[in-house]
Amino acid sequence: MSKNLTIIRTLKRVVGYGSLLIIAIVSAVFLGWVLDVRVLTEVIPGFPSMKLSTAAGLLMCSIALYLTAHNTGRVNGKLHIILAGSAIMIGGEASLNLIFGWDIGFHQSAVTIDAAGIRSNQIVHMSPQAAANFLLIGLAIILLNRRINRRKKYSLASEYLAISALILTFAALLGHLYGAQLFNGTTAFNGLGLHTAFCFLILAIGCLAANRESRLINLFLSNSIGGVAVRRLLPIVVFLPTIIGLLRIVGQNMGLYDTGVGVMLTVMTSIVLMSGAIFYFSSMSHHSDLRRRAIENKLASNEKKFRELFDYGQSLISLHDLDGIMTKVNPALLSALGYSQDEVVGKSLRDFFPLEYHPQFADYLREIEDAGISQGYLTLISKNGDRRAWRYHNILVAEPGRRPYVLGHAQDVTMLLAAEKALRNLSLTDDLTKLYNRRGFLTHAKQQIKLEKHSGTARGLNLLFADMDGLKKINDTYGHEAGSDAIIALANVFGSVMRSADLVARWGGDEFVILTIGSTDESAVMMVDRIKGRLAEHNKQSDLPYDISCSIGIATFDPRSSRSIESIIAEADESMYKDKELRKMAPRECFFPTANRPEPQPVFE
């Protein structure tokens, strides 16, 4: 429910309760006239009574005002005009009688008792103030009708009429308070009763409350400095002079001072107290204005800094709604991606994502809406098709009177991520063979062992440890550069035989390790045979003056054991040395230039 709707409903309740109160007072007055109970018609003995015609007019006005404020349909809309018009007729008849002496018949007789105790009947008339109030309030209620009140000027006229009735009624109350009969009636028989004045006061305030265009009510209820001033100063302005005037009359009647002194004291006290109230509120307004200006200056400074950051910052800054539609982007983003403002604003942020990332965009929107924040990495495609990586930190912003939006801030980390990837590869890769080095092999091998120990991902692991044969002789005969070429050639043989899932690494020097994934003992032996076969093919096709060969050891990983990768490598290394010893006992078929290679000699004759 909006704040304005709450205020309207509150005002309707005020009008409704006021109308019910008037109806209760008028009903009591009617009962007093019927039962001849003076306290119900006069409230205070000796004060003017509420006339029957006045009671009837008040009843009509209260019902009409209630129907006007609640707008309960076309029939009731016409009814409230009829009731208000009838009240105007009552006030008009009383006015004609007072001004021209025309007696249409709306008069009332009352029994009076003079000082000698003689009873007599006197014709009593409505007071001039009551007659004028019926004309003012009746017309004000009619102008509030929505069929009539189609222009703002009618609401303004209704407000002026209600304020006039309010002033006239308050003057009558002051007349009673100060004994000034002229302000509540011209004679003793046509005065305005206290309860009558109270009812007119409620009607006048009700007309203002029912008027949605009332500037006085809107100002009174506003949170502005003017609204605060009205709420604080109006009670002081109304009640303080009233009390001072009453005290002056009481003191003068008691003989404490004469008229001149009483007037001087009244004026002086009013000036001092009113000036104090004005200076007090002015001081509060002054400090409030200083705080407001300080806040405005701070906001302006922040706005300037944000504008400079937005326009001249090198980071990506953007705004988009909760559907991902871009509403604002800074020049740095446009420059980085190569787009113009029109090519980005109004488009979805997802349109600049690679296709494979489109399904994740909905997850991002849900995260930013639920958590109010999202951060991480994203990839955007520039106009020329290049992919650029950004580290982003986006927050959800909710401002009063504005739909929530997302403020995005990101930095281009394309070069940084590429450098990190290159550095990571450099730390895990052997420079000579481009295979994994010892660190890279251990990093990935330990991960594979963890997976192997899990029953759902176990596939079987075997580790091969290979050592190149005759590298020292190649270095001594043909130089270290030839030795490096031989190591590269052996690495290429391993790479051509292994599968993509297997791990191949240069362990150091002329040693290599191979982790075969998803293999059994038998397939590991077959892997060794394939390596030796591929080496034979290489030596046959090679133009190098030497052949290459290696010794290989095998170790199998048992997922039920707690062995480390280092212990498995040590077992494979030991197996490799056994293979090397066996090869030394066999006829040597390598390490010599092809042209000088001796003929093979049979082992047995």
Side-chain angles (χ1 to χ4, degrees), residues 418-465:
E420 289 180 352
K421 183 178 180 181
L423 182 62
R424 184 170 57 254
N425 292 336
L426 184 63
S427 65
L428 301 179
T429 305
D430 177 61
D431 290 337
L432 180 63
T433 63
K434 307 307 178 186
L435 299 176
Y436 286 122
N437 58 18
R438 182 185 296 234
R439 179 184 298 172
F441 178 80
L442 290 176
T443 300
H444 293 285
K446 289 177 180 179
Q447 184 64 30
Q448 290 297 331
I449 289 178
K450 289 181 181 179
L451 294 174
E452 192 67 19
K453 290 182 177 181
H454 192 281
S455 60
T457 57
R459 293 178 290 176
L461 297 178
N462 281 291
L463 190 138
L464 309 181
F465 195 97

Side-chain angles (χ1 to χ4, degrees), residues 166 170 173-174 177-178 198 201 205 220 230-248 266 269-270 273-274 277:
L166 191 63
F170 188 70
L173 289 173
L174 291 180
L177 187 63
Y178 300 148
F198 181 70
L201 202 65
I205 296 175
F220 189 83
V230 169
R231 290 192 293 273
R232 293 186 179 181
L233 291 180
L234 188 60
I236 297 175
V237 171
V238 172
F239 294 109
L240 190 60
T242 301
I243 296 172
I244 293 174
L246 180 62
L247 293 176
R248 179 248 169 144
T266 301
T269 305
S270 299
L273 294 178
M274 297 293 289

Side-chain angles (χ1 to χ4, degrees), residues 1-15 208-212 214 217-223 231:
M1 182 187 298
S2 66
K3 183 177 180 180
N4 290 337
L5 186 58
T6 303
I7 292 175
I8 290 173
R9 291 186 176 179
T10 301
L11 293 175
K12 282 185 177 182
R13 286 195 292 268
V14 170
V15 174
L208 293 174
N211 188 351
R212 296 184 182 179
S214 173
I217 295 297
N218 291 332
L219 178 62
F220 189 83
L221 297 176
S222 72
N223 293 324
R231 290 192 293 273

Side-chain angles (χ1 to χ4, degrees), residues 252-302:
Q252 189 170 333
N253 291 337
M254 294 174 63
L256 299 178
Y257 42 75
D258 56 18
T259 302
V261 174
V263 172
M264 186 277 296
L265 290 175
T266 301
V267 173
M268 189 64 187
T269 305
S270 299
I271 291 175
V272 171
L273 294 178
M274 297 293 289
S275 298
I278 291 174
F279 278 110
Y280 172 75
F281 179 77
S282 298
S283 176
M284 294 185 60
S285 301
H286 175 69
H287 291 296
S288 176
D289 188 59
L290 291 179
R291 289 193 297 269
R292 178 185 60 81
R293 291 183 182 182
I295 293 173
E296 289 178 352
N297 292 335
K298 185 176 180 180
L299 290 176
S301 176
N302 292 339

